Amino acid sequence: MRVIVQPDYKRASQWAANYVARRILDFKPGPKKPFVLGLPTGSSPIGMYNELTALNQAGKLSFKHVITFNMDEYVGLPQDHPESYHSFMWRHLFGRVDIPAKNVNILNGNARDLDAECAKYEDRIRKAGGVRLFVGGIGSDGHIAFNEPGSSLTSRTRVVQLTTDTKIANSRFFDNDRAKVPETALSVGVGTVMDSDEVLIIVNGANKARALRHAIEEGVNHMWTVSALQTHPNGLLVCDDEATLELKVGTVRYFKDVEAANLDPATLLR
Ligand code: GLP
């Protein structure tokens, strides 16, 4: 596992965006060879989406041959609701870059048969050749996508029940009213994310410090689903300083030391 520690959120977002851009550019995607990218919602990736948009608008990166799969969506929230993950993604990324609408995949939380929708989603990922790079964020309880504590680490895309903690955390988007947060969601599984060639998780802010400690210093545990990243051959955690508050000083120094030898992906973009 690689752990990238950046001084603040802006720098962490730039690092993540440059890394994603570098991966897409190196792949040289084309009509017959699209780059398959997994994407999250939440406040953590917004900075990265702004940076990716800037790269796109500067003509340095195109999404024309990128196929995306989002991690999750609320059940029962109308697609055009401002807090649906569909709306979020078009607002923060898809509506601002040159991605064709047909390349965007987001789970339909209003499908008549939700289980069939989830099975179809897994199928679509498989048919696209699998996800090359899955980008994610985490909840303060260490969940990835909506894989709440106790989710199987081999779980696949399915209907999930949101925990009280998550409903409280997400109520900030629903007039601070927990009752307005949907009870359930559709989410890719931990296994779905782990199947991708690479996983990059953005972790910022002091409220994620405990989860980051579990992700790095504690063992693999279904109560902190992000810890499954320890079993992935190409796992990458991109953090800001604040998120490292609960890590041992030695752990932070170790990862900074290891990364000192690596090139910043920004230098490769120039
Ligand atoms: C929701 C999403 C997760 C996201 C998490 C953290 O639970 N389903 O994918 O990682 O929120 O959100 P934030 O980045 O706003 O802290």
Side-chain angles (χ1 to χ4, degrees):
M1 178 194 278
R2 286 180 69 188
V3 180
I4 313 294
V5 183
Q6 292 291 310
D8 52 36
Y9 175 64
K10 177 139 184 88
R11 297 276 293 276
S13 301
Q14 283 169 340
W15 200 101
N18 290 334
Y19 189 85
V20 171
R22 193 64 253 167
R23 274 285 176 264
I24 296 172
L25 292 169
D26 280 351
F27 187 73
K28 299 186 176 51
K32 294 227 166 82
K33 191 192 160 202
F35 186 92
V36 184
L37 180 65
L39 292 174
T41 53
S43 46
S44 310
I46 290 178
M48 178 191 73
Y49 289 151
N50 290 338
E51 299 289 339
L52 285 173
T53 301
L55 287 172
N56 181 251
Q57 291 175 358
K60 292 185 177 169
L61 172 71
S62 170
F63 287 87
K64 264 198 187 117
H65 303 298
V66 174
I67 292 183
T68 62
F69 284 91
N70 259 84
M71 289 188 139
D72 42 19
E73 178 57 289
Y74 291 113
V75 166
L77 207 60
Q79 219 168 80
D80 60 358
H81 186 288
E83 295 308 332
S84 79
Y85 287 168
H86 277 78
S87 300
F88 176 98
M89 286 310 297
W90 283 96
R91 189 162 64 238
H92 291 289
L93 185 68
F94 301 146
R96 305 159 78 198
V97 298
D98 62 346
I99 192 163
K102 66 171 173 49
N103 287 11
V104 170
N105 295 280
I106 307 180
L107 283 152
N108 176 7
N110 293 295
R112 200 167 303 152
D113 183 342
L114 294 173
D115 292 336
E117 168 67 11
C118 294
K120 261 197 299 186
Y121 204 66
E122 288 275 341
D123 219 42
R124 253 148 62 199
I125 294 177
R126 216 172 302 119
K127 283 191 179 127
V131 176
R132 239 155 231 287
L133 170 62
F134 224 127
V135 181
I138 57 171
S140 51
D141 59 4
H143 70 242
I144 42 170
F146 267 133
N147 294 287
E148 300 282 32
S151 296
S152 160
L153 298 184
T154 60
S155 50
R156 311 303 307 187
T157 306
R158 68 207 184 288
V159 183
V160 292
Q161 190 76 33
L162 302 189
T163 61
T164 302
D165 279 356
T166 296
K167 280 188 278 180
I168 292 171
N170 290 8
S171 65
R172 68 191 196 274
F173 303 115
F174 294 88
D175 309 324
N176 289 314
D177 182 353
R178 204 200 311 175
K180 289 190 185 161
V181 183
E183 296 282 325
T184 52
L186 302 185
S187 175
V188 295
V190 182
T192 319
V193 177
M194 293 302 139
D195 272 358
S196 47
D197 294 346
E198 246 186 307
V199 184
L200 184 162
I201 305 287
I202 301 166
V203 189
N204 64 284
N207 65 328
K208 304 287 171 69
R210 193 159 163 242
L212 189 65
R213 175 165 63 78
H214 279 274
I216 299 174
E217 291 180 342
E218 308 289 331
V220 176
N221 187 325
H222 65 168
M223 295 310 283
W224 300 86
T225 53
V226 63
S227 66
L229 199 62
Q230 292 175 24
T231 66
H232 196 284
N234 296 305
L236 190 55
L237 287 164
V238 182
C239 325
D240 67 357
D241 246 340
E242 271 190 24
T244 67
L245 277 176
E246 290 205 26
L247 293 180
K248 294 190 188 96
V249 172
T251 303
V252 177
R253 283 204 187 137
Y254 169 75
F255 283 107
K256 282 191 173 168
D257 194 33
V258 171
E259 288 304 326
N262 290 329
L263 270 183
D264 185 317
T267 54
L268 300 168
L269 269 183
R270 279 184 208 124

